[in-house]
Amino acid sequence: QVQLVESGGGLVQSGGSLRLSCTASGCIFSINDMAWYRQAPDKQRELVAAITHTGRTNYADSVKGRFTISRDNDKNTVYLQMNSLKPEDTAVYYCASKKFFWSNYDSWGQGTQVTVSS
């Protein structure tokens, strides 16, 4: 089994920054693909950023140029650096993991709240 624990959420003013962290256990972290999703009220959960086990990244258009996903395999941790935050970024952010490129993300963290005030 895989356990994912997020941290780093909080309240920030528009234009500010936060860094989210997700630490994994119960897996060989270096072979897993990782992602950050978010879900706002009355919206579907959406993919924000993803990073493969080889380090390839992709981003939602809405966060491109503002957010950066990275991983530290020595620490079993994936990060989401969020800059120039906007009120529309307010959501619960979830860390997710999968072992194979063809699979769905099947392990999820508990979520961490990010609130951006105007």
Side-chain angles (χ1 to χ4, degrees):
Q1 74 282 4
V2 180
Q3 299 89 45
L4 305 174
V5 179
E6 303 101 331
S7 63
L11 174 65
V12 66
Q13 193 173 29
S14 181
S17 298
L18 286 172
R19 188 178 75 157
L20 307 183
S21 299
C22 171
T23 299
S25 61
C27 65
I28 306 299
F29 181 77
S30 61
I31 68 173
N32 282 63
D33 296 341
M34 306 295 297
W36 288 96
Y37 281 74
R38 68 185 180 188
Q39 187 167 22
D42 291 332
K43 288 192 172 183
Q44 295 291 307
R45 188 172 297 187
E46 65 173 341
L47 179 66
V48 177
I51 184 166
T52 71
H53 66 283
T54 63
R56 298 192 308 275
T57 60
N58 67 83
Y59 299 90
D61 288 341
S62 60
V63 308
K64 201 169 296 182
R66 299 188 297 121
F67 291 10
T68 302
I69 189 171
S70 61
R71 65 191 297 158
D72 186 338
N73 289 345
D74 291 336
K75 298 180 179 179
N76 284 10
T77 300
V78 63
Y79 304 95
L80 186 67
Q81 178 66 47
M82 305 184 294
N83 298 327
S84 302
L85 283 161
K86 305 174 180 180
E88 50 262 47
D89 295 318
T90 296
V92 178
Y93 284 71
Y94 298 91
C95 180
S97 174
K98 63 179 180 176
K99 185 176 180 180
F100 305 107
F101 76 93
W102 46 262
S103 68
N104 297 127
Y105 290 99
D106 53 12
S107 298
W108 296 85
Q110 78 285 359
T112 186
Q113 176 71 46
V114 172
T115 302
V116 184
S117 62
S118 61

